[in-house]
Amino acid sequence: MAKIAKISFWCLAALALVISVVYIYYHFNKTNYTIGTNYLGDQAPVDLIEFEDKLTEVQKNEYEKRVLFDINVYSNSNNSGIELNELMLNYFTDTSLSTSVCRSSGIQYAGDLVEDIQKLDDTDISNIQNSILEINNKFYEYERTQSISWNGGKNLATGLSRDEKYTIKIDDKPYQLQLTGSYEYVSSKFLWIEKKETHYYTFLEVLYDCVQAVKTNSKGYGDGYIVVDLSKYFSVYEFNERTGQFREQPTTDIVKNYATLKFHYDEKGASMANQSIFGIIAEDSKYGMPETPVDYWKAEFNFDLTEDDLDFRTSEVYNGELAFLNLKKIELYENSKVNITIDLSQKAIKGLDISAFENLKINSLTIIGSNQDFYLLENSLKNTGLMQIKISSGVNLIKDNCSDFELEEVQL
């Protein structure tokens, strides 16, 4: 019995020695790009939602350091255009992280992405991206360099691919990001025998989940930041300055706080190319522009508009009418400047609606009234070129991220 115990002891000792040697060899000789399970983040699917207009500049800068993707969603809830879903990744072509080596790749879905993917049956699961391409032509890929977007195809574009490692910046340090996620599923079954296959995630599925997160955010439409859990998709690699190579990043603290989406969520439909973060829709940089020649004679005139020329929406929140100019009228004046005068004694108006005059070139805006708050809602004067508003002494302007500029108030 004692002899058997001794033999067992030495066998176990030898096995332990072999395991130790194998571990030491692996630990010190593993390659820099071993794919592990250290994925981005482990936070809740929607852990934080902050809107830009509620943040200080310091807070915005902190969130900007953690932005992984720019997401642009036009829901078309008001049937004013098309649904548009976009994702853009900003990255660098080397570890200098300088502006000169900055590049962007992204995807655009000009339609109802959620509904179209849900229409796919189980046989399409193995390659969602190709299946989508087969059933419609709403999917587009773009590159962006020096503020110019283009589709370079397979020959000229880096694109968003599982084969690429993208050099990104976290707290001003270089890291690499790669789409490595996958899962097994049962593709067929005969009696008790199951045939399993592996599904490899695509960036289209990343866009799908991000769009779902944005659409279900508890604060609704607007511009902001949202923290999401993308751990099933991505692996992150840290840069080793000593070796000049990337290695698998074992620290989770940084990546937990990094997976932040910067989003724009709009109830409108996309109707013009400049609403896209790429400045192009369906590979058409003039999307939504009139096909007929522009009447350049209009540019010689300033047009005068009053409250009678505007459109209105009844708002329960503001308990009254909100004014705006519909897109067809805005296009009518696109090569001109307009003077707008709103007399509140003629019509009970509570303010300007969201994106009320966006992209309309305004020469002057005058609001006449007494003892009344007048609301300028989000983007209502965006891209109008307006620098000041003329108001009666009794009008109190309440601005909600309404313009690109700090508007000067000039009393009549």
Side-chain angles (χ1 to χ4, degrees):
M1 193 72 176
K3 187 175 182 180
I4 295 175
K6 287 182 180 180
I7 293 173
S8 300
F9 171 78
W10 287 111
C11 287
L12 290 173
L15 179 61
L17 179 63
V18 170
I19 292 173
S20 298
V21 171
V22 170
Y23 171 79
I24 292 171
Y25 177 83
Y26 170 77
H27 182 75
F28 288 100
N29 293 278
K30 64 179 181 178
T31 61
N32 289 330
Y33 286 121
T34 300
I35 303 298
T37 56
N38 176 41
Y39 294 126
L40 265 175
D42 62 358
Q43 58 269 53
V46 179
D47 187 47
L48 168 135
I49 306 168
E50 292 290 353
F51 275 64
E52 282 191 350
D53 59 338
K54 306 298 182 185
L55 299 172
T56 65
E57 287 303 315
V58 173
Q59 289 174 317
K60 284 184 183 179
N61 290 337
E62 287 302 312
Y63 287 126
E64 285 293 330
K65 290 180 181 180
R66 296 193 277 128
V67 171
L68 181 61
F69 295 122
D70 286 297
I71 304 293
N72 190 31
V73 179
Y74 279 82
S75 66
N76 196 31
S77 297
N78 62 0
N79 296 314
S80 61
I82 62 169
E83 184 165 342
L84 187 70
N85 305 286
E86 299 178 312
L87 175 150
M88 184 167 70
L89 170 65
N90 299 313
Y91 58 95
F92 302 87
T93 55
D94 64 37
T95 57
S96 69
L97 306 182
S98 62
T99 305
S100 61
V101 295
C102 185
R103 189 184 183 100
S104 303
S105 295
I107 54 180
Q108 177 186 81
Y109 198 82
D112 191 337
L113 174 64
V114 174
E115 181 178 324
D116 286 346
I117 284 186
Q118 290 175 349
K119 286 179 181 177
L120 299 177
D121 59 35
D122 292 338
T123 60
D124 297 318
I125 194 79
S126 62
N127 199 328
I128 285 180
Q129 196 151 298
N130 282 344
S131 300
I132 284 289
L133 290 172
E134 288 173 6
I135 64 174
N136 62 49
N137 58 350
K138 302 173 185 177
F139 176 57
Y140 306 91
E141 299 183 79
Y142 300 109
E143 299 291 297
R144 189 169 179 83
T145 52
Q146 298 179 347
S147 301
I148 297 177
S149 299
W150 44 280
N151 186 338
K154 294 182 179 179
N155 295 325
L156 300 178
T158 303
L160 294 178
S161 165
R162 289 181 61 92
D163 298 327
E164 289 289 334
K165 292 183 176 74
Y166 301 93
T167 300
I168 57 177
K169 181 167 64 173
I170 304 175
D171 291 333
D172 299 322
K173 295 180 181 179
Y175 290 77
Q176 280 193 335
L177 177 80
Q178 185 177 23
L179 179 62
T180 57
S182 64
Y183 65 87
E184 283 191 343
Y185 66 99
V186 177
S187 60
S188 61
K189 187 175 182 179
F190 178 71
L191 297 177
W192 63 88
I193 302 174
E194 295 180 342
K195 180 182 178 182
K196 293 186 177 180
E197 295 187 31
T198 301
H199 174 74
Y200 298 95
Y201 287 119
T202 68
F203 275 94
L204 188 63
E205 290 166 277
V206 178
L207 173 62
Y208 173 90
D209 275 355
C210 291
V211 168
Q212 283 284 69
V214 171
K215 282 188 170 183
T216 56
N217 90 77
S218 61
K219 296 187 179 181
Y221 300 109
D223 297 311
Y225 304 88
I226 183 171
V227 176
V228 294
D229 181 2
L230 297 175
S231 59
K232 69 179 182 180
Y233 289 119
F234 295 103
S235 292
V236 173
Y237 309 90
E238 181 186 22
F239 184 66
N240 187 328
E241 294 184 359
R242 183 177 59 82
T243 63
Q245 293 181 304
F246 287 92
R247 62 190 177 195
E248 184 180 343
Q249 164 64 294
T251 304
T252 58
D253 289 343
I254 294 177
V255 293
K256 280 182 181 179
N257 299 321
Y258 181 67
T260 300
L261 308 180
K262 183 179 181 180
F263 68 88
H264 172 73
Y265 183 33
D266 209 305
E267 67 176 332
K268 295 184 299 184
S271 57
M272 300 182 71
N274 61 3
Q275 292 171 301
S276 163
I277 54 179
F278 304 107
I280 183 172
I281 295 178
E283 298 184 0
D284 183 4
S285 62
K286 297 187 181 300
Y287 185 94
M289 302 294 288
E291 297 181 1
T292 55
V294 176
D295 294 327
Y296 286 102
W297 62 269
K298 293 178 183 176
E300 300 176 3
F301 296 92
N302 284 332
F303 289 87
D304 295 321
L305 304 181
T306 69
E307 63 279 354
D308 294 330
D309 299 298
L310 306 180
D311 302 281
F312 297 94
R313 175 177 71 89
T314 301
S315 169
E316 294 182 2
V317 174
Y318 295 96
N319 193 29
E321 301 289 314
L322 295 174
F324 68 98
L325 202 62
N326 67 53
L327 289 175
K328 290 188 179 296
K329 290 180 181 178
I330 289 177
E331 290 175 4
L332 178 66
Y333 301 117
E334 66 176 329
N335 292 295
S336 307
K337 284 193 173 183
V338 299
N339 301 306
I340 303 174
T341 301
I342 300 176
D343 189 345
L344 303 180
S345 66
Q346 300 299 314
K347 187 173 182 65
I349 305 172
K350 295 295 184 179
L352 299 184
D353 203 354
I354 296 173
S355 299
F357 297 145
E358 185 175 0
N359 299 319
L360 176 70
K361 300 308 176 186
I362 300 178
N363 188 50
S364 69
L365 173 60
T366 304
I367 302 172
I368 302 171
S370 60
N371 301 322
Q372 178 180 335
D373 290 337
F374 192 83
Y375 295 87
L376 304 178
L377 300 189
E378 186 176 13
N379 296 332
S380 56
L381 296 171
K382 184 179 181 181
N383 197 28
T384 61
L386 190 67
M387 302 295 290
Q388 64 174 229
I389 302 177
K390 300 175 184 178
I391 58 174
S392 298
S393 58
V395 174
N396 176 38
L397 292 182
I398 301 177
K399 305 166 191 172
D400 181 13
N401 195 26
C402 62
S403 175
D404 315 281
F405 306 105
E406 186 68 33
L407 296 171
E408 178 187 4
E409 297 179 22
V410 179
Q411 290 196 353
L412 297 173

